[in-house]
Amino acid sequence: MRMKLTPRLILALLFAIVAMPRVYAQVVPAETRRTFPLSVGAGLSGFDSSYGSGMLLGGSLWVDYTPTQVPRILQGIGAELEVRDLSLNRSTYQPPNLREDTVEGGVIYFWRHFEKLRPYGKFLVGYGNIDYENSSNAGVVRVHDSRTITVFGGGVEYQVQQRIWVRGDYEFQNWPDFWKNTTPAGSLNPNGFTAGASYHF
């Protein structure tokens, strides 16, 4: 038996097709509607290098990937990639012209108990470079050193717009075997804060 398409039936079908996306959007949680769980951020960092005196300043960039299709116990876990260049304010630092730059990656966990506020903790592993000047009998010598580093940190993000979150971050770094003339060899432990904002796709 063939169905006859009357104007009344056509109108009812059109209404149903238009209404379906709205009904679906109301019942799907906002978190699952994100098609690409990625955020990109930038900020200003101030660090104590633990070598000499003064505060090193510079910029930080980070990318966070927090998948939504994970078991409930793993919700909030993700991966972070972070790059930092601390090359500002080095003229007032001792030793002279001290500069540090790092690239790090690892695990980050956001505690999603609050709607707009997300505390987090992170553990990263990366690579760090340090440059400074050293005076000797031959004159001023430029020194360069690098290490594989481990990083512990945490902070909080706060949502200020639908996709914009501001971040306050603290980080503690361990550069092993930096002071080789001590027994055992001592570590360099830069630590500091970053303030910035991120865009959530």
Side-chain angles (χ1 to χ4, degrees):
M1 178 178 167
R2 297 181 66 183
M3 183 181 292
K4 189 176 180 182
L5 291 176
T6 64
R8 204 176 274 182
L9 182 58
I10 293 171
L11 187 61
L13 287 171
L14 286 173
F15 179 78
I17 291 169
V18 170
M20 278 177 60
R22 293 182 182 176
V23 172
Y24 182 74
Q26 288 175 0
V27 298
V28 177
E31 194 66 31
T32 61
R33 290 202 308 269
R34 287 175 56 195
T35 57
F36 200 51
L38 191 76
S39 64
V40 178
L44 179 66
S45 298
F47 267 63
D48 175 6
S49 77
S50 82
Y51 182 22
S53 60
M55 178 71 69
L56 281 175
L57 303 176
S60 296
L61 299 172
W62 64 87
V63 178
D64 292 333
Y65 175 74
T66 50
T68 55
Q69 304 300 320
V70 293
R72 184 176 180 84
I73 195 171
L74 295 177
Q75 287 182 359
I77 200 165
E80 177 166 284
L81 176 66
E82 185 178 71
V83 178
R84 180 175 293 109
D85 182 12
L86 300 172
S87 57
L88 302 176
N89 201 42
R90 54 184 175 169
S91 60
T92 60
Y93 211 96
Q94 294 298 325
N97 287 317
L98 181 67
R99 175 183 180 271
E100 292 178 2
D101 58 88
T102 58
V103 57
E104 310 151 8
V107 179
I108 188 167
Y109 176 77
F110 291 93
W111 190 49
R112 300 182 177 186
H113 183 72
F114 306 106
E115 183 180 356
K116 292 181 176 287
L117 191 71
R118 289 185 182 171
Y120 64 88
K122 61 184 181 179
F123 172 72
L124 312 174
V125 176
Y127 194 72
N129 291 302
I130 185 169
D131 298 282
Y132 58 94
E133 291 179 355
N134 209 353
S135 297
S136 67
N137 294 334
V140 176
V141 178
R142 188 72 180 163
V143 180
H144 172 83
D145 207 342
S146 57
R147 289 287 185 282
T148 298
I149 63 174
T150 53
V151 178
F152 299 91
V156 65
E157 285 194 338
Y158 181 77
Q159 187 179 25
V160 292
Q161 289 186 6
Q162 182 180 3
R163 295 185 178 274
I164 305 295
W165 296 66
V166 294
R167 171 182 284 200
D169 180 273
Y170 172 76
E171 195 169 287
F172 178 88
Q173 302 174 355
N174 181 54
W175 300 45
D177 301 331
F178 188 82
W179 309 108
K180 296 185 182 297
N181 56 349
T182 64
T183 305
S187 298
L188 192 69
N189 296 122
N191 65 96
F193 293 91
T194 299
S198 58
Y199 181 87
H200 290 239
F201 292 91

